[in-house]
Amino acid sequence: MDRGGSLRAAMAKSTLRPITDVAKDLGLHDDDVIPYGRDKAKIDLAALSRPKRGKGKVVLVSAITPTPAGEGKTTTSIGLTMGLVRMGRSAVCALREPSLGPVFGVKGGGTGGGKAQVVPANEINLHFTGDLHAITSANNLLAALVDNELHFGGKLGIDPRRVTWRRAMDMNDRALRDVVIGLGGRNGGVPRESGFDITAASEIMAVLCLSESMEDLQRRLGRIVIGRTFDQRPVTVDDLEAAPALTALLKDALLPNLAQTMEGSPALVHGGPFANIAHGCSSVLATKMAMHQADIVVTEGGFGFDLGAEKFLDIKCRSAGIWPSAVVVVATLRALKFHGGVDPKDAGKPDPDALARGIANLERHLETARFFGLKSVVAINAFDNDSESEIAMVAERAAALGAPVALSRGYTQGGAGSMDLAEKVAAVVERDEPLTPKFAYELDLPYAKKIDLIAKNVYGADGADLDASAKATLEKLEQDGYGGLPVCIAKTQLSVSDDPKKQGRPTGFRVTVREVRLSAGAGFVVALLGDVMTMPGLPKVPAARNVRIEPDGTVRGLMQND
Amino acid sequence: MDRGGSLRAAMAKSTLRPITDVAKDLGLHDDDVIPYGRDKAKIDLAALSRPKRGKGKVVLVSAITPTPAGEGKTTTSIGLTMGLVRMGRSAVCALREPSLGPVFGVKGGGTGGGKAQVVPANEINLHFTGDLHAITSANNLLAALVDNELHFGGKLGIDPRRVTWRRAMDMNDRALRDVVIGLGGRNGGVPRESGFDITAASEIMAVLCLSESMEDLQRRLGRIVIGRTFDQRPVTVDDLEAAPALTALLKDALLPNLAQTMEGSPALVHGGPFANIAHGCSSVLATKMAMHQADIVVTEGGFGFDLGAEKFLDIKCRSAGIWPSAVVVVATLRALKFHGGVDPKDAGKPDPDALARGIANLERHLETARFFGLKSVVAINAFDNDSESEIAMVAERAAALGAPVALSRGYTQGGAGSMDLAEKVAAVVERDEPLTPKFAYELDLPYAKKIDLIAKNVYGADGADLDASAKATLEKLEQDGYGGLPVCIAKTQLSVSDDPKKQGRPTGFRVTVREVRLSAGAGFVVALLGDVMTMPGLPKVPAARNVRIEPDGTVRGLMQND
């Protein structure tokens, strides 16, 4: 990948390269690039019909169980990509696109940090190319059509109390979690209880991220089940004759988005399902486009390995027929000490005993990666005051599980600070060993068994229990012909168990499935372990209050430390 | 305006001209053009700081009172623009952008029809450049911040029962008109009654359309009143410290959008407030950009003259310091006969008596235009079977009010069919007479008097009455320092009165203000005459069901007859 003078100029002046130049690095033609604003573009799918240009090795970036300190998975992914490019590799990252909810809520923007960001960061964090809005529109058109059917008493016989389709909004808005709609008399439709999910949790988001073509998208949309009739038959989008209208709303959103790293190399940023309440990976089409055009594709699964990575492997890879060549597990010494029982405010201080206990969390995830037959590299997202002896402790324990440890300084030094990681990852990827997919469960098992296997193989639990209603729902789904799908676990991201208070490496526990939802369009069954919010709330002082507009019109404060 | 070979090629092959070429017709620089997709763009405001290039004469296209047959105002506006371009004039239209609600509801797309459309029509009718979505997001971020303030019991002391800010959705969804939010226990916030408006009715839409710069936008957003405290003090967006975040969400939406007519000439399509429940005109910035760059600007006010045109003059022109050089009043013989009492299904047949009665509706609007000191041209949107003697009847009555009549065949013949209209409009515009703005009311009058003057001067009513609660609200607003604003009347579009059943030219009636709402950010007071829905519903068979996707991915059925 020769980016020549234009890249060096971009790095020197910190300006952005023309997006068509960035596209050329991926071997894309000018005609493939559909510009959105000055520095963003969508990529026409035509490139996929041309001969494959890249080796398409996939690196999955995952992490230990998240802590309040933050691990920097996206920052590490971007730094790693930039490091690989500096090594002369044809490398591209395929990341999730941010939701406005977190941007204006607790977390701020989702485009990496420091010197390892995808840019234009503000544009990506705000409306980007409109994908989230298109998904919201499709979700809510479907909801309006369902309530319209109820209002006019259509022939489908939908039971208003059995409508499971909820509305969506790309916003953290707790007041919409549980609502009563259809009030105000006959003109307001049929009163019923319902609610809103954040768009990243909508089944439409999952459908978009798993679709491999426009036809596949329309087919999946048509399969979505919106509720049941009075005699309990499932009602689909195809029953409502709505799939073409939803497809029309989503036709541009389906195309992968192109942006660039701060060092001017290409970055695909497309699809953004949350990993605790959805499947947590960027789109299949972006991954496949990246694999088609580049040698190494760096992608991530949200939250810890138990959530994003498990679903990446068992859902996305199985559906799309892909498999990673390497896994990166991101950790920080602070986070490991937090898992060892230290208070977050003290986690910056040396504490070998706490670290020794906390490394068990990392080991849990490395063992899971081994279970899946995957070779890992541990990326320590480094801080200036990290102690060498503590890093050596991590390296020793990781080595025992076959995983080299690399220091990652992408935040402070960009690609130059990610060379250690890039070299170790390249060494794993370039062994060119044959890939043998192995899953946590096979699809033909009963759902109860599949969930039990995830609990044992991925969480290290003794097994999974089902609440009576969850059990009944799963049996009904199997009777209705909806067996054979993978399971998308929705659970807390703060523990490998279903109890957010259990840090480190809990043992001797079981998990409990409290509720089950069918996502027939996405092609999975969602099993909720505990109370998992599908609509976040804003904190007492929302990030929205930090935003300011400079006199020249520049937006500040969308990212932390901005 | 020399568009040379590229325009002829576009006309011959019915392909689109490159959007940067279209921008050049307006004297815009390549740097001014921010592409959105292949054939849409936003225009940087930088052009406004360069010397004025055009004479900037404004033609306001309005219409008689709408009927079920449809009058074709947008089609006429586009045809007129194309006709003026064919005459060698530097002409551009500045139109409203469509809302997804009507697109998937009754009406279908809002981009003109037949051979007089703005293109790419499907793209404009779907997400276009994302303006509606940005407005929805800003509206709903504000709502989430308000409910968050209630949830955390902040210092502002907002009374949950006095929150007037509603949520918005760009969808026809009657089930959201009246809802109860904040249910589900403490985690769901504070339970209260609320509702959703369609985005086109949001105050944010009005704010965007009236803003003249980013600073003006932020200032107006900050002034928005979201409700009152327990001791009845108004609470603003600035009190919530939310104006910068809302501005950040709207910074791109503020920029005018560039598309093209089917004959390849430039078309600005920006901002889309409905005219029955909002002020009904495209954005001030698009109008000013068009005036800055072209000699003749064709723009429209929604629905009949009593709604869109009145608000164009009394609100938009007064706020922006502009004034039209000519008015076009669109009518069809069918619609006039409908106003004369004929059943819509019989309105295509000759019926001179009904026509004679129905022309009174046209006369009402022509007299109103004269009241405003404006010179009108009547455009008869012609059908093949229109009778010459009936057209002569209209011409005679219009001539008595000083208005020439032109036949407009834009739908069937494009610009070539609009030459008669273009010539008559050019003749009026190019008299170069000094423009003397005259309004229906002065701003320093009490609200009751302003509304009374609109009723008398524009509707031909005997006066306006105020319900007791409306009267009290207006007096409270004046006490709180919110006097001195213009009034945005929300009323039925189906009559010049407030009674949708009164077609033609009703006389001897009064109108009644039932409710009053403050739009402090937009800078007007909304007076609702009768029940005006701020959230439409879908019809029994929604237009969404007509959409289909061709095997090559083309979307069909978004427009009528597609």
Side-chain angles (χ1 to χ4, degrees), chain B residues 290-326:
Chain B
M291 291 170 70
H292 198 76
Q293 302 297 123
D295 289 340
I296 305 180
V297 178
V298 178
T299 190
E300 54 175 355
F303 294 123
F305 198 99
D306 53 321
L307 279 166
E310 185 271 316
K311 292 186 252 192
F312 176 84
L313 299 165
D314 281 323
I315 296 176
K316 177 175 167 177
C317 287
R318 175 149 40 191
S319 160
I322 59 179
W323 198 252
S325 299

Short mmCIF file of all heavy atoms in Angstrom, two decimals, chain B residues 290-326:
data_model
loop_
_atom_site.label_atom_id
_atom_site.label_comp_id
_atom_site.label_asym_id
_atom_site.label_seq_id
_atom_site.Cartn_x
_atom_site.Cartn_y
_atom_site.Cartn_z
N ALA B 290 -29.89 31.81 -3.09
CA ALA B 290 -30.42 31.88 -4.46
C ALA B 290 -30.45 33.34 -4.94
O ALA B 290 -30.07 33.63 -6.08
CB ALA B 290 -31.83 31.27 -4.49
N MET B 291 -30.89 34.26 -4.08
CA MET B 291 -30.95 35.68 -4.45
C MET B 291 -29.55 36.23 -4.72
O MET B 291 -29.37 37.11 -5.57
CB MET B 291 -31.61 36.49 -3.33
CG MET B 291 -33.09 36.21 -3.17
SD MET B 291 -33.76 36.99 -1.65
CE MET B 291 -33.70 38.73 -2.12
N HIS B 292 -28.58 35.73 -3.97
CA HIS B 292 -27.21 36.20 -4.10
C HIS B 292 -26.60 35.76 -5.43
O HIS B 292 -25.77 36.45 -6.01
CB HIS B 292 -26.39 35.63 -2.94
CG HIS B 292 -25.10 36.33 -2.68
ND1 HIS B 292 -25.04 37.54 -2.04
CD2 HIS B 292 -23.81 35.99 -2.94
CE1 HIS B 292 -23.78 37.93 -1.92
NE2 HIS B 292 -23.01 37.00 -2.48
N GLN B 293 -27.02 34.59 -5.90
CA GLN B 293 -26.33 33.98 -7.03
C GLN B 293 -27.11 34.05 -8.35
O GLN B 293 -26.55 33.80 -9.39
CB GLN B 293 -26.03 32.50 -6.72
CG GLN B 293 -25.20 32.24 -5.47
CD GLN B 293 -23.80 32.81 -5.52
OE1 GLN B 293 -23.39 33.60 -4.66
NE2 GLN B 293 -23.06 32.47 -6.54
N ALA B 294 -28.43 34.31 -8.29
CA ALA B 294 -29.24 34.26 -9.51
C ALA B 294 -30.09 35.51 -9.65
O ALA B 294 -30.28 36.26 -8.69
CB ALA B 294 -30.13 33.01 -9.50
N ASP B 295 -30.62 35.72 -10.85
CA ASP B 295 -31.45 36.91 -11.09
C ASP B 295 -32.89 36.69 -10.63
O ASP B 295 -33.53 37.59 -10.11
CB ASP B 295 -31.44 37.26 -12.58
CG ASP B 295 -30.10 37.81 -13.04
OD1 ASP B 295 -29.33 38.27 -12.16
OD2 ASP B 295 -29.83 37.77 -14.25
N ILE B 296 -33.41 35.50 -10.86
CA ILE B 296 -34.80 35.22 -10.50
C ILE B 296 -34.86 33.97 -9.63
O ILE B 296 -34.32 32.92 -9.99
CB ILE B 296 -35.69 35.03 -11.75
CG1 ILE B 296 -35.58 36.24 -12.69
CG2 ILE B 296 -37.15 34.81 -11.34
CD1 ILE B 296 -36.43 36.15 -13.94
N VAL B 297 -35.53 34.10 -8.49
CA VAL B 297 -35.65 33.00 -7.53
C VAL B 297 -37.13 32.62 -7.42
O VAL B 297 -37.95 33.46 -7.05
CB VAL B 297 -35.14 33.42 -6.14
CG1 VAL B 297 -35.32 32.29 -5.14
CG2 VAL B 297 -33.70 33.87 -6.22
N VAL B 298 -37.44 31.38 -7.76
CA VAL B 298 -38.82 30.91 -7.66
C VAL B 298 -38.96 30.13 -6.37
O VAL B 298 -38.28 29.11 -6.17
CB VAL B 298 -39.19 30.02 -8.87
CG1 VAL B 298 -40.62 29.50 -8.73
CG2 VAL B 298 -39.00 30.78 -10.18
N THR B 299 -39.81 30.59 -5.48
CA THR B 299 -39.99 29.88 -4.21
C THR B 299 -41.49 29.75 -3.95
O THR B 299 -42.31 30.36 -4.64
CB THR B 299 -39.25 30.60 -3.06
OG1 THR B 299 -39.25 29.75 -1.91
CG2 THR B 299 -39.89 31.93 -2.72
N GLU B 300 -41.85 28.91 -2.97
CA GLU B 300 -43.27 28.67 -2.76
C GLU B 300 -43.62 28.73 -1.29
O GLU B 300 -42.78 28.52 -0.41
CB GLU B 300 -43.69 27.32 -3.35
CG GLU B 300 -42.88 26.16 -2.85
CD GLU B 300 -43.38 24.79 -3.33
OE1 GLU B 300 -44.42 24.71 -4.00
OE2 GLU B 300 -42.72 23.80 -3.00
N GLY B 301 -44.87 29.06 -1.03
CA GLY B 301 -45.44 28.95 0.31
C GLY B 301 -46.44 27.81 0.25
O GLY B 301 -47.15 27.65 -0.73
N GLY B 302 -46.49 27.00 1.27
CA GLY B 302 -47.33 25.80 1.23
C GLY B 302 -48.83 26.11 1.22
O GLY B 302 -49.27 27.19 1.60
N PHE B 303 -49.61 25.15 0.73
CA PHE B 303 -51.08 25.24 0.67
C PHE B 303 -51.55 26.53 -0.01
O PHE B 303 -50.89 27.02 -0.92
CB PHE B 303 -51.68 25.06 2.07
CG PHE B 303 -51.45 23.67 2.62
CD1 PHE B 303 -50.81 23.48 3.84
CD2 PHE B 303 -51.85 22.54 1.92
CE1 PHE B 303 -50.58 22.20 4.34
CE2 PHE B 303 -51.63 21.26 2.42
CZ PHE B 303 -51.00 21.10 3.63
N GLY B 304 -52.68 27.07 0.40
CA GLY B 304 -53.24 28.25 -0.27
C GLY B 304 -52.57 29.55 0.18
O GLY B 304 -51.76 29.56 1.12
N PHE B 305 -52.95 30.66 -0.51
CA PHE B 305 -52.34 31.95 -0.22
C PHE B 305 -52.55 32.34 1.24
O PHE B 305 -51.69 32.96 1.87
CB PHE B 305 -52.92 33.04 -1.14
CG PHE B 305 -52.06 34.27 -1.21
CD1 PHE B 305 -51.20 34.46 -2.29
CD2 PHE B 305 -52.08 35.23 -0.21
CE1 PHE B 305 -50.39 35.58 -2.36
CE2 PHE B 305 -51.27 36.35 -0.27
CZ PHE B 305 -50.42 36.53 -1.35
N ASP B 306 -53.72 31.98 1.79
CA ASP B 306 -54.04 32.36 3.17
C ASP B 306 -53.07 31.74 4.17
O ASP B 306 -52.88 32.27 5.27
CB ASP B 306 -55.48 31.95 3.52
CG ASP B 306 -55.74 30.47 3.23
OD1 ASP B 306 -55.25 29.96 2.19
OD2 ASP B 306 -56.42 29.81 4.03
N LEU B 307 -52.47 30.61 3.84
CA LEU B 307 -51.55 29.94 4.77
C LEU B 307 -50.09 30.23 4.41
O LEU B 307 -49.45 31.07 5.02
CB LEU B 307 -51.82 28.43 4.80
CG LEU B 307 -53.01 28.04 5.69
CD1 LEU B 307 -53.45 26.61 5.43
CD2 LEU B 307 -52.64 28.22 7.16
N GLY B 308 -49.57 29.54 3.40
CA GLY B 308 -48.14 29.66 3.10
C GLY B 308 -47.72 31.06 2.70
O GLY B 308 -46.67 31.55 3.13
N ALA B 309 -48.50 31.71 1.84
CA ALA B 309 -48.08 33.04 1.36
C ALA B 309 -48.16 34.07 2.47
O ALA B 309 -47.26 34.90 2.64
CB ALA B 309 -48.92 33.45 0.15
N GLU B 310 -49.24 34.03 3.24
CA GLU B 310 -49.35 35.00 4.34
C GLU B 310 -48.16 34.87 5.28
O GLU B 310 -47.55 35.87 5.69
CB GLU B 310 -50.67 34.79 5.11
CG GLU B 310 -50.93 35.82 6.19
CD GLU B 310 -50.36 35.46 7.57
OE1 GLU B 310 -50.52 34.29 8.00
OE2 GLU B 310 -49.75 36.34 8.21
N LYS B 311 -47.80 33.64 5.61
CA LYS B 311 -46.69 33.44 6.55
C LYS B 311 -45.35 33.74 5.87
O LYS B 311 -44.42 34.24 6.51
CB LYS B 311 -46.75 32.03 7.12
CG LYS B 311 -47.99 31.86 8.03
CD LYS B 311 -48.03 30.53 8.73
CE LYS B 311 -49.09 29.63 8.17
NZ LYS B 311 -49.36 28.45 9.01
N PHE B 312 -45.26 33.47 4.56
CA PHE B 312 -44.05 33.85 3.83
C PHE B 312 -43.82 35.35 3.98
O PHE B 312 -42.70 35.81 4.25
CB PHE B 312 -44.20 33.48 2.36
CG PHE B 312 -43.05 33.90 1.48
CD1 PHE B 312 -41.91 33.11 1.39
CD2 PHE B 312 -43.10 35.08 0.75
CE1 PHE B 312 -40.84 33.50 0.59
CE2 PHE B 312 -42.03 35.49 -0.04
CZ PHE B 312 -40.90 34.68 -0.13
N LEU B 313 -44.90 36.12 3.82
CA LEU B 313 -44.77 37.59 3.83
C LEU B 313 -44.62 38.12 5.24
O LEU B 313 -43.69 38.87 5.55
CB LEU B 313 -45.99 38.20 3.13
CG LEU B 313 -46.16 37.78 1.66
CD1 LEU B 313 -47.56 38.13 1.16
CD2 LEU B 313 -45.09 38.44 0.79
N ASP B 314 -45.56 37.73 6.11
CA ASP B 314 -45.59 38.34 7.45
C ASP B 314 -44.50 37.80 8.37
O ASP B 314 -44.11 38.48 9.31
CB ASP B 314 -46.96 38.10 8.10
CG ASP B 314 -48.02 39.06 7.57
OD1 ASP B 314 -47.67 40.24 7.31
OD2 ASP B 314 -49.20 38.66 7.43
N ILE B 315 -44.07 36.56 8.14
CA ILE B 315 -43.05 35.99 9.02
C ILE B 315 -41.68 35.95 8.33
O ILE B 315 -40.74 36.61 8.76
CB ILE B 315 -43.47 34.57 9.50
CG1 ILE B 315 -44.74 34.68 10.35
CG2 ILE B 315 -42.34 33.93 10.30
CD1 ILE B 315 -45.31 33.34 10.80
N LYS B 316 -41.58 35.17 7.24
CA LYS B 316 -40.26 34.97 6.64
C LYS B 316 -39.70 36.26 6.03
O LYS B 316 -38.55 36.63 6.30
CB LYS B 316 -40.33 33.87 5.59
CG LYS B 316 -39.01 33.63 4.84
CD LYS B 316 -39.08 32.44 3.89
CE LYS B 316 -37.89 32.43 2.94
NZ LYS B 316 -37.90 31.25 2.05
N CYS B 317 -40.47 36.95 5.20
CA CYS B 317 -39.95 38.16 4.55
C CYS B 317 -39.64 39.24 5.58
O CYS B 317 -38.62 39.92 5.49
CB CYS B 317 -40.95 38.70 3.52
SG CYS B 317 -41.04 37.69 2.04
N ARG B 318 -40.53 39.37 6.56
CA ARG B 318 -40.30 40.40 7.58
C ARG B 318 -39.03 40.10 8.36
O ARG B 318 -38.22 40.99 8.64
CB ARG B 318 -41.52 40.47 8.51
CG ARG B 318 -41.33 41.40 9.67
CD ARG B 318 -42.61 42.06 10.16
NE ARG B 318 -43.79 41.23 10.20
CZ ARG B 318 -45.02 41.72 10.41
NH1 ARG B 318 -45.22 43.02 10.60
NH2 ARG B 318 -46.06 40.92 10.44
N SER B 319 -38.85 38.81 8.71
CA SER B 319 -37.66 38.42 9.48
C SER B 319 -36.38 38.59 8.67
O SER B 319 -35.35 39.02 9.19
CB SER B 319 -37.84 36.97 9.95
OG SER B 319 -36.61 36.39 10.28
N ALA B 320 -36.44 38.22 7.39
CA ALA B 320 -35.22 38.16 6.58
C ALA B 320 -34.96 39.44 5.80
O ALA B 320 -33.91 39.57 5.17
CB ALA B 320 -35.30 36.98 5.62
N GLY B 321 -35.93 40.37 5.80
CA GLY B 321 -35.74 41.61 5.04
C GLY B 321 -35.74 41.40 3.55
O GLY B 321 -34.93 41.99 2.82
N ILE B 322 -36.65 40.54 3.07
CA ILE B 322 -36.79 40.34 1.63
C ILE B 322 -38.23 40.60 1.24
O ILE B 322 -39.11 40.73 2.11
CB ILE B 322 -36.37 38.90 1.21
CG1 ILE B 322 -37.22 37.84 1.93
CG2 ILE B 322 -34.90 38.67 1.52
CD1 ILE B 322 -36.87 36.41 1.54
N TRP B 323 -38.50 40.71 -0.06
CA TRP B 323 -39.88 40.94 -0.52
C TRP B 323 -39.99 40.45 -1.96
O TRP B 323 -39.07 40.68 -2.75
CB TRP B 323 -40.25 42.43 -0.41
CG TRP B 323 -41.74 42.66 -0.46
CD1 TRP B 323 -42.44 43.19 -1.50
CD2 TRP B 323 -42.68 42.35 0.56
NE1 TRP B 323 -43.78 43.24 -1.19
CE2 TRP B 323 -43.97 42.72 0.08
CE3 TRP B 323 -42.59 41.77 1.83
CZ2 TRP B 323 -45.13 42.54 0.82
CZ3 TRP B 323 -43.75 41.60 2.58
CH2 TRP B 323 -45.01 41.99 2.07
N PRO B 324 -41.07 39.76 -2.30
CA PRO B 324 -41.18 39.23 -3.66
C PRO B 324 -41.50 40.31 -4.69
O PRO B 324 -42.15 41.31 -4.39
CB PRO B 324 -42.33 38.23 -3.56
CG PRO B 324 -43.14 38.68 -2.39
CD PRO B 324 -42.19 39.34 -1.44
N SER B 325 -41.06 40.08 -5.92
CA SER B 325 -41.36 40.98 -7.03
C SER B 325 -42.63 40.55 -7.76
O SER B 325 -43.17 41.32 -8.54
CB SER B 325 -40.20 40.97 -8.04
OG SER B 325 -39.03 41.43 -7.43
N ALA B 326 -43.04 39.32 -7.57
CA ALA B 326 -44.25 38.82 -8.23
C ALA B 326 -44.79 37.62 -7.47
O ALA B 326 -44.04 36.95 -6.74
CB ALA B 326 -43.94 38.40 -9.67
#
